[in-house]
């Protein structure tokens, strides 16, 4: 499992919005400039976050994006799963039901399931608020 650029950028965007949150909308241009991410690529990431209700978006003059919740109410796992999809160490655990024909006789499956649980619980246990304060470890 490797978190892609899209996942890493999504976290950077959310942290940037948290850091500059004054109740007003923050423009895509400002975020892109501060984070050194192209506006076009950033737009694809923010679109996913906005459609999921993670961000509130407003078009037009005075528009941009802002948080819909407090930083402490966003988990890293939630954000990464939105832009990355399932965060599973092996393909057979990417969906709710394991469709692998060898699942019933796979001796390594319990290990992969435990690793999957550890990864997701760890990421779900870290909030944006903790990342901002540096207390995530």
């Amino acid at each position: 499992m490797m978190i892609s650029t899209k996942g890493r950028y999504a976290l950077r965007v959310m942290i940037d919005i948290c850091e500059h949150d004054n109740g007003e909308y923050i423009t895509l241009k400002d975020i892109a400039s501060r984070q050194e991410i192209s506006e076009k690529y950033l737009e694809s990431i923010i679109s996913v976050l906005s459609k999921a209700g993670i961000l509130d978006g407003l078009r037009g003059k005075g528009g941009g994006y802002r948080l819909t919740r407090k930083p402490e109410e966003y988990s890293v796992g939630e954000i990464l799963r939105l832009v990355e999809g399932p965060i599973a160490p092996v393909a057979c655990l990417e969906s709710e039901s394991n469709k692998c024909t060898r699942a019933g006789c796979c001796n390594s499956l319990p290990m992969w399931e435990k690793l999957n649980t550890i990864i997701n619980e760890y990421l779900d246990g870290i909030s944006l608020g903790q990342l901002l304060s540096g207390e995530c470890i």
Side-chain angles (χ1 to χ4, degrees):
M1 173 199 80
M2 182 176 281
I3 303 299
S4 72
T5 302
K6 194 171 188 177
R8 294 190 323 269
Y9 284 3
L11 283 176
R12 283 175 46 189
V13 165
M14 291 299 292
I15 291 167
D16 184 282
I17 293 171
C18 288
E19 289 175 329
H20 296 90
D21 183 21
N22 61 4
E24 296 181 17
Y25 288 94
I26 301 168
T27 67
L28 184 73
K29 184 177 183 175
D30 287 344
I31 299 166
S33 174
R34 284 190 297 266
Q35 294 302 316
E36 299 176 338
I37 302 171
S38 82
E39 286 185 51
K40 186 170 177 82
Y41 192 52
L42 184 58
E43 200 171 77
S44 70
I45 295 168
I46 285 188
S47 173
V48 171
L49 298 173
S50 185
K51 285 179 185 173
I54 298 289
L55 294 174
D56 178 31
L58 180 66
R59 293 181 182 260
K61 187 174 175 146
Y65 298 91
R66 65 181 178 189
L67 301 175
T68 57
R69 307 187 303 238
K70 296 176 183 174
E72 299 77 28
E73 296 173 358
Y74 294 94
S75 81
V76 169
E78 170 188 25
I79 295 163
L80 289 177
R81 280 188 295 277
L82 278 171
V83 296
E84 294 281 345
I87 304 169
V90 290
C92 63
L93 296 176
E94 288 181 341
S95 66
E96 289 282 324
S97 60
N98 187 337
K99 296 178 181 162
C100 178
T101 57
R102 297 191 43 81
C105 63
C106 180
N107 291 335
S108 61
L109 182 59
M111 175 197 61
W112 294 124
E113 289 172 333
K114 179 150 180 122
L115 179 59
N116 188 49
T117 299
I118 290 168
I119 291 168
N120 282 284
E121 285 179 355
Y122 176 74
L123 294 173
D124 288 339
I126 301 172
S127 72
L128 286 181
Q130 288 173 299
L131 291 179
L132 287 167
S133 69
E135 64 177 73
C136 68
I137 296 177

